[in-house]
């Protein structure tokens, strides 16, 4: 037998066989339990990165494990292929986005196949293909017909570099998430989806997702932002007929109010701007920032005093100044708030800046008063300085203020949400065309279903900024489908999150030309049992997909509410960073280790500075090319390292020593089977009834490993599963070295070992399974079943308590006689010391667990 494992030949051999035998292609089978495994589909950049390798390795282990357990497993793959990166590539390289995208999908497909993934490639999709986006155009029309889509003029985040609208979630620190350019605010007519109609349902649904990470559920809950409070009207002091309506979750703090703030887009502000140029300039400045609440929280709080005041609802003669403020958005609540500086940090910062009154009205239970310095008091307490509210707890005070306002007819209690409707219009070419037409006579008209898909024109150019569809000489011009008059197409395309919000359902029936998918097929496969992907999609993608699922259900596409029953968010892959003497980032393959443990530049031999361990990124050049790793060490070694070095939910530090260690271990497993010291009997040979202690011990560990490994893989504890594999292989090696080793026991152990690591190192497992004498593949072999009789420990350790305190432990045979257990416990030296000669009143024996002595 060869002593060195030939990775290239063996991995190619088994990948070709899986492909030839269509091993992972599946169809619906109501007689079998299904299991749908899905890793978030990638953008086809043309090259895998280590984050991809980790993501798809984790999902693949789950798919292979569930397949071995007998499930009908769906594990598909496709491409999130629309978007600005392809459009930018077209600009940079002078190629059409399609000519950039499709070759990239083929290149990445080959790379994924080289990982040995158990994917049903017959279901491959690409979101940029007309056969895919045709159905989402029909879906959008159905949404319109069911009141789930609409068009309106709205303030939007405008990226001046990418010349497109961004969702609030795509604005990071006031800048475009891809371009990094400061975002501006513009008013455009946009298409929206009514995600707010499902706000309460989306919140309630989170309670059912017990296999989602708690942090993701919390992030979605916070983003939806349910608030119950009081909506009421302030009277404007110098305008008898005017009122400013505010919403607050803290009506109890009304006696601490010192100002009212309105959004730059508030009608009151707009009216003032027509008469005051300084107000108009301030509003224009506000429009230079984004609309994200998170970004506004970080920005400097600015205000413009309007010259107007409002009357305090409970203090006669007291007025509050009205400011236009950059931290208030028209889209949230009523577009106006009252500020109570003593109990809100944002309000306090604003009040200090503009020298406004700060009156504490909530004090801790054990205090009569408090002083407010640089920090607002946001803790619990009772009301003070608040007239009829004094002494009331916060919740009672809220109710009392709300009651009095409602009695006056000035307001009402209500529930609001931070969640805004989803603006899906984007001003770019490489996206799904929105299937609408504008006619001067008929207005906004739907593209007829028999004219779908509305395909993107291929003859476009990117010579100037902006959307090439908008300036296309022919494509945009069309006859109105209702009256036949000249009309124009909608030139906006959908936000790419539109495509990723329903792709999981298309995988259920990816070749259907007439419908997005067959409902019965979707109801069979869905929901996704295990979804795997990055936590960065906790709001952008996952919330949209949950909404989309509900919208599709309302339109009759499917029958279930939640798209993803289980969610796993893996950690990032990290690496050390390196810089040369000039501060330039260096790739890991540009450095060499020096004798003293430091690093030097490979070519110049100049010293290299080692930086922090950070997420792999092109900008810091701390990346490792997966193709190089798999060429040198093989896919199985890369998979093993990914799985073994840290819990999958945590960040993984990539190290050369780690991958080398994985490669050496694979070769050790290879030699363990191919160069065994013990002659193995034929496959299927029965284990003898009588075994010596060493053989019995190994058999016990084998079956404990099956039991433990099954639990670990089921709970996604992959690093623990790898540890069990190593423990079992060490025990097998020790047993094989014994001159009296039993061949049948060793065969059982080796076969089990191969089956257990097959989901992790599938190519090696197939080759060794073949060498162990099997014609069938290990992927077609059922997961081993643990013999429960071999899981029982022969001895148990029992705690002995004296008057409730543990004083000793004793080791006895399992299920030992109660009297024997009591006698051994009482004879223990430490127990005798604890008794100190006192008479024993009672002894309580709980078999195999505890002995309690009462004196």
């Amino acid at each position: 037998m060869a002593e060195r494992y030939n990775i290239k030949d063996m991995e190619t051999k088994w990948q070709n066989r899986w492909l030839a035998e269509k091993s992972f292609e599946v169809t619906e089978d109501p007689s079998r339990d299904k299991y749908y495994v899905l890793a978030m589909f990638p953008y086809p950049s043309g090259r895998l990165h280590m984050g991809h390798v980790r993501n798809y390795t984790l999902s693949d282990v789950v798919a292979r494990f569930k397949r071995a357990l007998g499930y009908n497993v769906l594990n598909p793959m496709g491409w999130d292929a629309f978007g600005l990166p392809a459009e930018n590539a077209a600009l940079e390289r002078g190629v059409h986005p399609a000519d950039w995208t499709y070759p990239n999908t083929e290149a990445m497909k080959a790379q994924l196949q080289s990982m040995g993934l158990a994917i049903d490639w017959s279901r491959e999709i690409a979101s940029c293909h007309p056969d895919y986006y045709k159905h989402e155009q029909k879906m959008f029309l159905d949404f319109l017909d069911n009141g789930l889509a609409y068009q309106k003029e709205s303030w939007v985040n405008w990226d001046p570099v990418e010349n497109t609208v961004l969702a609030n979630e795509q604005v990071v620190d006031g800048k475009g998430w891809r371009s990094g350019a400061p975002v501006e605010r513009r008013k455009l007519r946009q298409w929206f989806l009514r995600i707010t109609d499902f706000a309460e349902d989306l919140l309630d649904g989170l309670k059912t997702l017990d296999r989602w990470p708690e942090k993701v559920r919390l992030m979605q809950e916070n983003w939806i932002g349910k608030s119950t409070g009081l909506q009421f009207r302030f009277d404007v002091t110098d305008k008898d007929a005017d009122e400013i309506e505010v919403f607050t979750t803290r009506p109890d703090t009304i006696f601490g109010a010192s100002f009212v703030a309105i959004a730059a887009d508030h009608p009151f502000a707009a009216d003032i701007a027509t008469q005051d140029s300084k107000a108009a300039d301030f509003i224009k400045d506000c429009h230079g920032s984004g609309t994200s609440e998170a970004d506004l929280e970080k920005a400097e709080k600015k205000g413009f005093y309007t010259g107007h005041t409002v009357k305090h609802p409970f203090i006669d003669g007291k007025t509050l100044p009205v400011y236009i403020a950059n931290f208030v958005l028209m889209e949230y609540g009523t577009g106006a708030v009252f500020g109570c500086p003593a109990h809100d940090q944002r309000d306090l910062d604003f009040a200090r800046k503009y020298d406004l009154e700060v009156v504490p009205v909530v004090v801790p239970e054990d205090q009569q008063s408090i002083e407010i310095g640089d920090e607002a008091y946001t803790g619990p307490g009772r009301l003070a300085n608040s007239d009829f509210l004094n002494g009331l707890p916060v919740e009672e005070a809220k109710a009392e203020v709300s009651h009095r306002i409602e009695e006056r007819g000035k307001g009402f209690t209500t529930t609001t949400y931070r969640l805004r409707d989803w603006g899906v219009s984007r001003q770019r070419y490489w996206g799904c065309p929105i299937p609408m037409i504008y006619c001067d006579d008929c207005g906004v008209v739907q593209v007829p279903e028999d004219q779908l898909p509305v395909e993107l024109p291929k003859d476009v150019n990117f010579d100037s900024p902006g959307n090439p569809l908008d300036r296309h000489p022919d494509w945009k011009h069309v006859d109105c489908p209702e009256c036949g008059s000249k009309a124009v197409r909608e030139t906006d395309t959908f936000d790419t999150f539109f495509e990723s919000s329903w792709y999981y359902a298309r995988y259920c029936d990816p070749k259907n030309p007439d419908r997005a998918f067959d409902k019965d097929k979707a109801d069979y496969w869905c929901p996704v049992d295990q979804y795997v992907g990055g936590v960065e999609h906790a709001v952008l993608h996952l919330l949209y997909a949950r909404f989309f699922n509900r919208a599709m259900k309302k339109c009759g596409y499917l029958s279930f509410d939640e798209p993803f029953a289980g969610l796993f968010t893996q950690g990032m892959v990290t690496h050390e960073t390196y810089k040369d003497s000039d501060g330039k980032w260096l790739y890991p393959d540009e450095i060499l280790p020096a004798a003293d443990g430091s690093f030097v530049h490979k070519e110049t031999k100049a010293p290299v500075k080692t930086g922090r361990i950070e997420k792999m990124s092109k900008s810091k050049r701390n990346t490792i090319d997966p193709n190089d790793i798999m060429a040198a060490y093989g896919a199985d070694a890369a998979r093993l390292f990914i799985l073994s070095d840290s819990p999958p939910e945590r960040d993984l530090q990539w190290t050369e020593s780690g991958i080398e260690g994985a490669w050496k271990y694979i070769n050790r497993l290879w030699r363990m089977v191919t160069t065994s010291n013990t002659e193995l009997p034929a496959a299927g040979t029965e284990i003898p009834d009588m075994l010596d202690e060493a053989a019995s011990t190994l058999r016990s560990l084998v079956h404990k490993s099956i039991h433990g490994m099954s639990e670990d893989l089921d709970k996604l504890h992959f690093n623990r599963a790898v540890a069990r594999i190593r423990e079992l292989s060490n025990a097998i090696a020790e047993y094989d070295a014994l001159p009296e080793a039993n061949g049948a026991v060793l065969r059982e152990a080796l076969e089990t070992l191969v089956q257990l690591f097959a989901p992790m190192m599938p190519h090696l497992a197939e080759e060794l399974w073949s060498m162990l004498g099997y014609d069938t593949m290990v992927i077609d072999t059922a997961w081993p079943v643990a013999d429960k009789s071999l899981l029982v420990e022969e001895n148990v350790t029992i705690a002995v308590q004296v008057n409730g305190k543990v004083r000793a432990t004793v080791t006895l045979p399992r299920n030992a006689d109660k009297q024997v257990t009591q006698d051994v416990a009482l004879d223990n030296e430490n127990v005798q010391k604890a008794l100190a000669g006192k008479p024993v009143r009672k002894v309580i024996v709980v078999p195999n667990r505890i002995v309690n002595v009462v004196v």
Side-chain angles (χ1 to χ4, degrees), residues 307-586:
H308 296 283
T309 60
V310 295
K311 300 173 184 178
H312 194 285
F314 298 115
I315 304 176
D316 290 340
K318 184 178 179 67
T319 60
L320 308 177
V322 178
Y323 284 82
I324 303 171
N326 69 340
F327 56 83
V328 182
L329 291 174
M330 196 62 214
E331 291 82 6
Y332 292 91
T334 62
V337 299
F338 77 76
C340 177
H343 305 292
D344 182 281
Q345 191 61 45
R346 180 195 62 188
D347 294 348
L348 180 61
D349 294 341
F350 190 82
R352 296 299 190 206
K353 182 171 184 175
Y354 295 103
D355 197 24
L356 301 174
E357 186 179 31
V358 178
V359 179
V361 292
V362 177
V363 297
E365 291 280 353
D366 57 347
Q367 297 182 38
Q368 297 299 314
S369 62
I370 56 173
E371 292 292 329
I372 302 297
D374 294 330
E375 292 187 14
Y377 176 70
T378 57
R382 292 182 177 273
L383 273 291
N385 303 316
S386 298
D387 195 18
F388 57 84
L389 299 177
N390 286 339
L392 290 180
V394 167
E395 292 306 315
E396 289 185 23
K398 288 180 180 180
E400 181 62 24
V401 171
S402 298
H403 172 70
R404 295 196 181 206
I405 289 289
E406 288 174 339
E407 270 193 334
R408 297 181 183 183
K410 281 292 189 178
F412 52 90
T413 55
T414 186
T415 297
T416 65
Y417 301 88
R418 288 183 61 248
L419 184 66
R420 300 294 92 194
D421 278 342
W422 175 14
V424 294
S425 299
R426 297 294 180 268
Q427 295 67 42
R428 61 159 182 259
Y429 165 75
W430 194 235
C432 172
I434 298 176
M436 304 301 292
I437 292 171
Y438 299 96
C439 173
D440 289 340
D441 296 325
C442 303
V444 185
V445 180
Q446 296 184 12
V447 173
E449 185 178 345
D450 61 5
Q451 294 180 21
L452 299 180
V454 177
E455 290 193 43
L456 289 169
K458 295 180 180 178
D459 56 334
V460 292
N461 69 76
F462 300 90
D463 295 339
S464 56
N467 183 1
L469 292 178
D470 199 38
R471 57 178 182 267
H472 196 281
D474 304 315
W475 179 87
K476 65 183 285 187
H477 299 288
V478 64
D479 291 339
C480 173
E482 291 190 359
C483 70
S485 299
K486 297 298 181 182
V488 293
R489 294 189 186 279
E490 170 65 79
T491 58
D492 285 354
T493 54
F494 285 130
D495 180 4
T496 52
F497 285 104
F498 206 108
E499 285 83 59
S500 60
S501 291
W502 70 280
Y503 78 111
Y504 58 89
R506 180 63 174 173
Y507 280 137
C508 300
D509 192 17
K511 306 305 178 188
N512 193 326
D514 302 317
R515 289 180 286 176
F517 47 84
D518 180 83
K519 184 177 181 181
D520 290 339
K521 290 182 178 181
D523 286 346
Y524 172 79
W525 287 115
C526 292
V528 174
D529 296 282
Q530 188 61 64
Y531 199 30
V532 180
V535 72
E536 66 271 16
H537 297 291
V539 172
L540 286 119
H541 163 57
L542 292 170
L543 186 61
Y544 290 156
R546 294 182 62 226
F547 153 69
F548 231 81
N549 203 94
R550 287 161 168 79
M552 288 192 291
K553 181 182 178 182
K554 183 174 180 178
C555 295
Y557 281 80
L558 36 74
S559 306
F560 52 93
D561 288 326
E562 292 292 344
F564 313 119
L567 172 69
F568 184 81
T569 54
Q570 83 283 1
M572 298 181 294
V573 183
T574 65
H575 198 290
E576 282 185 330
T577 52
Y578 311 101
K579 284 184 177 180
D580 63 17
S581 56
D582 295 327
K584 177 185 174 184
W585 297 106
L586 297 173

Side-chain angles (χ1 to χ4, degrees), residues 714-727:
D714 192 57
K715 296 177 181 177
L716 310 184
H717 294 161
F718 301 120
N719 58 317
R720 293 186 193 177
V722 171
R724 290 187 195 277
I725 292 293
R726 290 184 179 272
E727 179 188 18

Side-chain angles (χ1 to χ4, degrees), residues 255-270:
F255 284 93
S258 64
F259 66 93
V260 166
I262 61 176
D265 306 323
H266 196 283
F268 195 81

Side-chain angles (χ1 to χ4, degrees), residues 17 42 45 48-49 77 123-124 181 186 203 275 289 313 450 478 487 590 644 660 693 728 754 775 782 790 819 841-842:
R17 182 166 172 185
S45 63
L48 290 183
H49 55 66
M77 180 59 68
R123 296 173 181 263
E124 181 183 7
R186 289 191 183 182
L203 273 178
Q275 306 164 39
S289 62
D450 61 5
V478 64
E590 293 181 284
S644 61
E660 286 179 356
E693 183 178 354
L728 180 56
V754 170
D775 294 328
L790 297 177
Q819 188 60 50
R841 293 169 49 204
K842 186 190 297 185

Side-chain angles (χ1 to χ4, degrees), residues 624-635:
I624 299 293
D625 190 332
N627 292 333
D628 294 342
I629 294 299
M630 287 189 282
Y633 299 101

Side-chain angles (χ1 to χ4, degrees), residues 695-754:
S696 297
T697 300
L698 179 60
R699 286 208 75 211
S700 178
L701 179 60
V702 166
H703 287 267
K704 288 175 184 174
S705 298
I706 295 171
H707 177 74
M709 185 96 171
S710 300
E711 286 192 340
D712 288 338
L713 293 183
D714 192 57
K715 296 177 181 177
L716 310 184
H717 294 161
F718 301 120
N719 58 317
R720 293 186 193 177
V722 171
R724 290 187 195 277
I725 292 293
R726 290 184 179 272
E727 179 188 18
L728 180 56
S729 65
N730 289 339
I732 292 173
E734 291 177 8
Y735 184 73
D736 189 25
L738 298 176
E740 67 274 19
N742 182 291
V745 171
L746 184 61
R747 170 173 275 280
E748 178 194 41
L750 287 172
E751 288 182 0
T752 302
L753 178 68
V754 170

